Amino acid sequence: MSGNTIGHLFTVTSFGESHGTAIGCVVDGCPPGLELAESDIQPDLDRRRPGTSRHVTQRQESDRVEILSGVFEGRTTGTPIALLIRNEDARSKDYADIARTFRPGHADYTYWHKYGVRDPRGGGRSSARLTAAVVAAAAIARKWLAAQYGTVVRGRMSQLGDIVVPLTDWAEVQRNAFFAADAAVVPRLEALMDSLRRAGDSCGARIDVVADPVPVGLGEPLFDKLDADIAHAMMGINAVKGVEIGAGFACVTQKGSEHGDELTPGGFVGNQAGGVLGGISTGQPVTVSIAVKPTSSIRIERRSIDLDGAPTVVQTQGRHDPCVGIRATPIAEAMLLLVLMDHALRHRAQCADVRVATPRIAGAGG
Amino acid sequence: MSGNTIGHLFTVTSFGESHGTAIGCVVDGCPPGLELAESDIQPDLDRRRPGTSRHVTQRQESDRVEILSGVFEGRTTGTPIALLIRNEDARSKDYADIARTFRPGHADYTYWHKYGVRDPRGGGRSSARLTAAVVAAAAIARKWLAAQYGTVVRGRMSQLGDIVVPLTDWAEVQRNAFFAADAAVVPRLEALMDSLRRAGDSCGARIDVVADPVPVGLGEPLFDKLDADIAHAMMGINAVKGVEIGAGFACVTQKGSEHGDELTPGGFVGNQAGGVLGGISTGQPVTVSIAVKPTSSIRIERRSIDLDGAPTVVQTQGRHDPCVGIRATPIAEAMLLLVLMDHALRHRAQCADVRVATPRIAGAGG
Amino acid sequence: MSGNTIGHLFTVTSFGESHGTAIGCVVDGCPPGLELAESDIQPDLDRRRPGTSRHVTQRQESDRVEILSGVFEGRTTGTPIALLIRNEDARSKDYADIARTFRPGHADYTYWHKYGVRDPRGGGRSSARLTAAVVAAAAIARKWLAAQYGTVVRGRMSQLGDIVVPLTDWAEVQRNAFFAADAAVVPRLEALMDSLRRAGDSCGARIDVVADPVPVGLGEPLFDKLDADIAHAMMGINAVKGVEIGAGFACVTQKGSEHGDELTPGGFVGNQAGGVLGGISTGQPVTVSIAVKPTSSIRIERRSIDLDGAPTVVQTQGRHDPCVGIRATPIAEAMLLLVLMDHALRHRAQCADVRVATPRIAGAGG
Amino acid sequence: MSGNTIGHLFTVTSFGESHGTAIGCVVDGCPPGLELAESDIQPDLDRRRPGTSRHVTQRQESDRVEILSGVFEGRTTGTPIALLIRNEDARSKDYADIARTFRPGHADYTYWHKYGVRDPRGGGRSSARLTAAVVAAAAIARKWLAAQYGTVVRGRMSQLGDIVVPLTDWAEVQRNAFFAADAAVVPRLEALMDSLRRAGDSCGARIDVVADPVPVGLGEPLFDKLDADIAHAMMGINAVKGVEIGAGFACVTQKGSEHGDELTPGGFVGNQAGGVLGGISTGQPVTVSIAVKPTSSIRIERRSIDLDGAPTVVQTQGRHDPCVGIRATPIAEAMLLLVLMDHALRHRAQCADVRVATPRIAGAGG
């Protein structure tokens, strides 16, 4: 398949541009018989939606999803599920003045040289808006994984610029605009955002995502290890520059006696592995972190070149997120859901008949 | 395809187990007419080979590669290239005593539950030995990319445990057992390895890989972004727990005015992007870092369970690398080569006819 | 990818059901810069459209296609092209009475056992209506192949029941409802259809499709031979039970001295090969024939079973084509176009640099 | 993946050339725990082997298969199974004189223009010898399908030139060199072969293959219908020019009342469908026919051109099958086995949880 499809058995084929007619995707391979309605998908879309707080882009989109196919009388039929989201707030005039320049940190220059096309309408295909359709698709995976294994996937912002956000209470994540699992830190986050906005600058963020419980055995030996496919999915999110599983880069300075999670009849002792050993899930929580770069569109003047290669200056005026990382949380959840769903189907295709007497130990470490 | 193939047009299908008859791979999609002999492949294999210094596993393997097909009269024919490496030093007796336990940090537990198979011969399919065939395959990509674009891919160990290895001189990398680009640091690295060996412990490492020059335009919008596919390939290397492109996790605390690489007629100013914007190569060097976890097989006693789920203790005695990360350098190079080669073919399939008047600016930042 | 995508580089992912909200597809991998508008696609859709003569189904569908993405300012952008066709005449009441039975010759029984879903709305996903989206997608391939190689793909009905339709004049195909390349035979075809309609019965058809010119070199050695992929595409059309390339089944009784097309400086002598040797195009016209089974929905009573397995009788009353093969002509063209386009891109990905001094001989035989 | 892999979950990646070092394949996706030894594979290889009667090529190959990986202690491990067959009788001198000409009916001309490579060693990659590895791979599928569903796949020659071979007794197939299911016809077949040999000519053949029992539900709606994938696999066999499922081309002249198989509580009445409706298996026997063209290498002089495009004459002297179709029977079986196995895994991945109350009726028609 070409580049706009993800997954092997549970596949999502994405289409659309930021300011075109519509965005959407086709979800293929979903098991039949799953209860599904637009109302199952909309909540995840709403979490990702722009314009919900003053800290994210003020673009106005209701992001209403329409199921075009694959569902009959409230249940999936096993045939492709097409999801459509019409673009509403497509004010392309904001972008007319930048049509002849390449914005630093954006895909303008690369798209131009690859495709010979310069879509001046706010990023076109490279816009983070495209992730809305992915979030919609992942809501289906979320429902199926929950029904099948009780799997819950949830994410949180764990760092905004220099501010580390502690994990105090998962329930807090739904109560603030930052997906922060700690109420006390929110005023500091707001102050940072306000100061960046005044300075016309932006900052990066770190997002943590956890899936739990995850059945043991998901993943392929090589090359489609579970963690490899997670890394592919996560690095494919707009603006992501780094991916960690479990201990991540901290493992560089760890000792082997510190990193390797011991096994006991009561479960693994610790989860440095992040729930994956040899590319296959251990049954522990799968833990992933990603680094999201600072928003590239800022008010500060930046040097660039124009279509003729001549020097120019770019200064963004349009509506943009001060930190694109804020809304990355539901997107990162979505990506993890898609990978888990795909591997769950792959696993049962090959290994449905495997039975071992060894008890499965508790997933989480003590 | 199933999980043991990587790539879309330039594909590598891997087979073999650590202590079976042989390992190898089938390389499909190679352009015809490329001069190729075993002698083009052997040098890369030799760099990865065990037993070359006292700091890596003492397993004795000559790692002689045999080209079984796809080459006629010294040139590739465009048909599949099968590469075979016979296993020689397959002393499986070393492992007999651990056949009934699950080694912490290893894939024993996950393979057992996934496949119902416990291959006690040193990891079987999950062994790093499998990467030999990948390195062999990538030597073909290395030759083609060099001929086509002048691309050079090189890697180095940039950190061993707590010791950061500076980039002083790329030529040094070939002169020491650590792939260190600095001669002065080598004694400290040796001392660290000796002390770990005495303690029966291990440590992690960070590896940096760079490809330069890379043509502009490689990568797909989503989901198969160039960096996404690099992350997939890198995280698929044994023991890797983190992947960074360009600034990587440092971007979390960067400002937008700091991260976004400005463009000038003379080239990009800086390379925080790591050579990829919007998932497509910019023409700058592609820079990747990975975190390799400490060797899991250590002499220190570790708690585990046996096949019946009863508690036991594991203490590794066999031959193993004190730091598996040392030999990861040629493997990481190999993975980057495979991804670049695949995307080079994908790009010209779709965009061979694209012509733009805009000059391509120099890749490297100033 | 899952089963609803065709192609490797130029991919079409289909969605929709016969009587659902909409049908459509996502076309991925199209080269950028191709001029494209709905008006390029509509003519092919109109040729396939129901209700255009009294000999095909009377369902009323305008089959208006909407391009949702992938085209900007009249040219393809290289990103996915989503095509949407709303269903208009979805009178599902016609089908309510058959919801509990399995119609002979239809997919009702197999879908029920595979998916546990019985979509009583006229075939749901298995309806020939789905081919409208494929025809739309192929119109893009048609335009690109014509621009790139001058390739023309055209089809005709070569047999209706017992009546063989001679190839007198390709231009006639557009002038009658039967895609017959002979004006004189049309009254006999009409008489046959009328007699079948009176009898409540149906008949099969044979369709021939030709692509010419086709560049030499398209196809993969095995398994994705050009003819193998054509066979896959053709047998995937609803109601097709046989596929032939070139001489087809006639080759069983041919001698080698008769079948093997000789080569002369002036071109191949004959085209028994149908334009493919060893799975790779020769440069001759690619010639394909398919057999389309008689319409399964007939007025004559047929034995069947119901959802409980009890015997029942089925007699179709709804609107249906007396011979589904009539409209298969544009669909078969579409399938051939998709395969050629995909292989054109695959070929240049791998072999763009191949140059041989040997002149290419004229494709067509003398 | 590139063109030399077949299958989606149970994949076979082929490599090798007719007169190179070795041929073989990598089988990925096999369920673990299947008992497997070389002795399970060798019988199928022996049935396809050259030199077993005077009616097939006299090339001497023992076709000994070596399992290089994926099997441990007599059982599959779930990891890739590499199969290797060394070439023994590689007398390439036979072919030296034809190196500068393009043999009519062969792939010489197309390979030359596609790859710029002329492998004069008897067809190189396009040789039917490559099917040995496919037959070996399919022996694994044969074993698994038999164990899982009791499926038996068997083939027979149903026509040689003008001689139709009746289906008298399946057991006869193993007792003659023609895979004929009728003892009485064998002398006539021998006489035809002798007369062709004397004339220096060749003839075509028709092969029928049947799988029974086949579980209901295998196949994807579109495009990867079970019959579409069978057609792909069958047309990919060397020299095949036509594929039929069930009634095949006979359906063109059938009436709907004749073709559509009625359903009764006791089973389907007839099997015109060939076991597939709407692309999904019905539970009836899957019946497939293929047309194999006459051997292209004949003693009769044929016109051709040389590498410079100048006219020349080709007259084959080397060892060749008078009718390549004779040995196509085990190959056609192999292809059907691979497709069924792949779809069995695909089906259970998506639909493992489907339960319907409707009884499955007997597959075979009465």
Side-chain angles (χ1 to χ4, degrees), chain A residues 1-5 7-11 13-17 20-23 25-26 28-30 32-33 66-73 76-82 84 86 111 114-121 125, chain C residues 1-5 7-11 13-17 20-23 25-26 28-30 32-33 66-73 76-82 84 86 111 114-121 125:
Chain A
M1 59 223 155
S2 282
N4 295 279
T5 298
H8 192 64
L9 289 182
F10 185 84
T11 63
T13 300
S14 158
F15 66 84
E17 289 87 32
T21 306
I23 62 172
C25 64
V26 180
D28 197 7
C30 184
E66 183 184 5
I67 298 176
L68 293 178
S69 66
V71 176
F72 181 62
E73 297 183 342
T76 59
T77 59
T79 58
I81 303 168
L84 188 73
R86 295 274 172 183
Y111 269 63
K114 182 178 187 68
Y115 297 116
V117 176
R118 181 74 177 86
D119 183 342
R121 300 170 303 171
R125 181 73 183 154
Chain C
M1 57 223 154
S2 282
N4 294 280
T5 298
H8 192 65
L9 289 182
F10 185 83
T11 62
T13 300
S14 158
F15 66 84
E17 288 88 32
T21 306
I23 62 171
C25 64
V26 180
D28 197 8
C30 185
E66 183 183 7
I67 299 176
L68 293 178
S69 66
V71 176
F72 180 61
E73 296 183 342
T76 58
T77 59
T79 57
I81 304 169
L84 189 72
R86 295 275 172 183
Y111 269 63
K114 182 178 186 69
Y115 298 117
V117 175
R118 180 75 176 86
D119 183 343
R121 301 171 303 172
R125 181 73 184 154

Side-chain angles (χ1 to χ4, degrees), chain A residues 265-278:
Chain A
F268 285 92
V269 181
N271 188 12
Q272 301 292 331
V276 187
L277 283 174

Side-chain angles (χ1 to χ4, degrees), chain C residues 263-312:
Chain C
L263 297 79
T264 72
F268 285 93
V269 181
N271 189 11
Q272 301 292 331
V276 188
L277 283 174
I280 297 169
S281 64
T282 61
Q284 295 168 281
V286 170
T287 61
V288 187
S289 294
I290 58 173
V292 188
K293 74 179 186 185
T295 309
S296 298
S297 298
I298 54 178
R299 277 215 326 281
I300 294 171
E301 284 200 350
R302 315 243 50 214
R303 283 176 289 171
S304 187
I305 56 172
D306 64 17
L307 287 184
D308 302 320
T312 182

Side-chain angles (χ1 to χ4, degrees), chain C residues 169-308:
Chain C
D169 180 1
W170 274 105
E172 283 300 325
V173 171
Q174 314 300 335
R175 296 192 193 116
N176 60 74
F178 297 95
F179 299 92
D182 180 270
V185 81
V186 171
R188 286 176 59 209
L189 300 176
E190 292 190 320
L192 174 57
M193 294 303 284
D194 288 339
S195 107
L196 286 167
R197 198 174 295 114
R198 279 191 299 271
D201 213 337
S202 60
C203 77
R206 172 192 281 263
I207 309 295
D208 291 356
V209 199
V210 182
D212 183 35
V214 173
V216 65
L218 308 190
E220 306 279 334
L222 56 97
F223 301 91
D224 289 350
K225 292 180 172 173
L226 183 63
D227 40 357
D229 277 1
I230 291 172
H232 170 261
M234 294 292 168
M235 195 68 92
I237 299 174
N238 306 56
V240 170
K241 302 305 288 182
V243 181
E244 297 183 319
I245 308 287
F249 277 89
C251 79
V252 173
T253 55
Q254 286 176 325
K255 295 287 189 307
S257 54
E258 189 183 351
H259 180 88
D261 306 312
E262 293 179 299
L263 297 79
T264 72
F268 285 93
V269 181
N271 189 11
Q272 301 292 331
V276 188
L277 283 174
I280 297 169
S281 64
T282 61
Q284 295 168 281
V286 170
T287 61
V288 187
S289 294
I290 58 173
V292 188
K293 74 179 186 185
T295 309
S296 298
S297 298
I298 54 178
R299 277 215 326 281
I300 294 171
E301 284 200 350
R302 315 243 50 214
R303 283 176 289 171
S304 187
I305 56 172
D306 64 17
L307 287 184
D308 302 320

Side-chain angles (χ1 to χ4, degrees), chain D residues 25 28 38 53 66 73 80 84 92 100 110 113-114 118 127 171 183 187 203-204 219 221 223 232 248 259 299 323 359:
Chain D
C25 64
D28 197 7
E38 273 110 356
S53 88
E66 184 184 5
E73 296 183 344
L84 190 72
S92 58
R100 281 188 49 80
T110 55
H113 280 289
K114 182 177 186 71
R118 181 73 177 85
S127 165
C203 77
F223 300 93
H232 170 261
H259 179 88
R299 277 215 326 280
C323 171

